[in-house]
Amino acid sequence: MSEQLFIMPGAGKNEMYETLLPQLSSLVSGETDLIANLANISAALHNTFGWWWVGFYWIKNNELVLGPFQGPIACARIKFGKGVCGTVWKAEKSLLVPDVNAFPGHIACSSSSVSEIVVPVFDKENKVVGVLDVDSERFDVLDETDVYYLEKVGRIITTIL
Ligand code: SME
């Protein structure tokens, strides 16, 4: 696997994801270590889209525990049903939160983050094993297109679990 990602300069969001996703598949198919793969996926997403924070929380002993990420330090543990991440774990469905101030119980790891997307990551038995969390410091960046493609990223991870 090449150590560089190729993303078309000036491409639109769909095109960027369409270019990135096959490279992510190829990146993780050559490595068996989960942490290494989650770390590279976080870095690839962060480098490509420049979001404030992107990373993983993984379920350990019935809690979400901070995993590989890119961005400022974040809360280490989140309980089932708490915050956006815990809600997604419970509901087993992605959430787009355009304004975190309007989400009751949102866990503010950083006051700079104003909108977010969290998608569940499933194992091959369709059980939630973690979440992918993206945070933006802008209100107008994250949308349903991101949800659509981030769920595809989640499915790429399922293939290596
Ligand atoms: N905002 C999340 C907490 C994680 S941080 O944003 C990295 C939540 O409410 O679940």
Side-chain angles (χ1 to χ4, degrees):
M1 167 65 206
S2 137
E3 284 172 15
Q4 277 195 332
L5 292 173
F6 175 74
I7 303 295
M8 230 115 48
K13 189 190 273 190
N14 289 66
E15 215 173 350
M16 286 168 86
Y17 277 110
E18 292 290 347
T19 316
L20 178 65
L21 262 53
Q23 296 180 78
L24 288 186
S25 293
S26 145
L27 185 64
V28 301
S29 68
E31 174 54 59
T32 54
D33 187 86
L34 180 62
I35 291 179
N37 283 329
L38 297 183
N40 263 340
I41 290 173
S42 309
L45 288 169
H46 193 257
N47 265 14
T48 302
F49 295 105
W51 296 317
W52 176 256
W53 195 95
V54 52
F56 294 90
Y57 282 88
W58 222 247
I59 300 169
K60 290 180 184 172
N61 299 323
N62 212 33
E63 259 185 331
L64 284 169
V65 180
L66 185 61
F69 71 95
Q70 297 275 311
I73 59 166
C75 350
R77 289 167 192 271
I78 299 174
K79 292 199 184 304
F80 184 71
K82 298 293 175 195
V84 183
C85 292
T87 302
V88 164
W89 174 13
K90 187 173 178 183
E92 304 188 353
K93 275 197 321 206
S94 303
L95 263 181
L96 165 63
V97 181
D99 179 358
V100 294
N101 299 310
F103 189 93
H106 166 254
I107 300 165
C109 290
S110 159
S111 56
S112 299
S113 165
V114 297
S115 64
E116 71 178 87
I117 290 173
V118 178
V119 307
V121 178
F122 298 95
D123 67 11
K124 291 200 180 80
E125 282 73 50
N126 223 25
K127 193 168 172 286
V128 179
V129 287
V131 300
L132 168 57
D133 180 356
V134 169
D135 296 284
S136 176
E137 77 283 32
R138 288 173 54 178
F139 285 110
D140 55 351
V141 166
L142 302 174
D143 58 26
E144 290 295 345
T145 299
D146 298 290
V147 175
Y148 174 77
Y149 283 105
L150 291 169
E151 288 179 349
K152 283 183 178 252
V153 172
R155 289 196 284 278
I156 291 173
I157 296 164
T158 304
T159 65
I160 54 157
L161 294 176

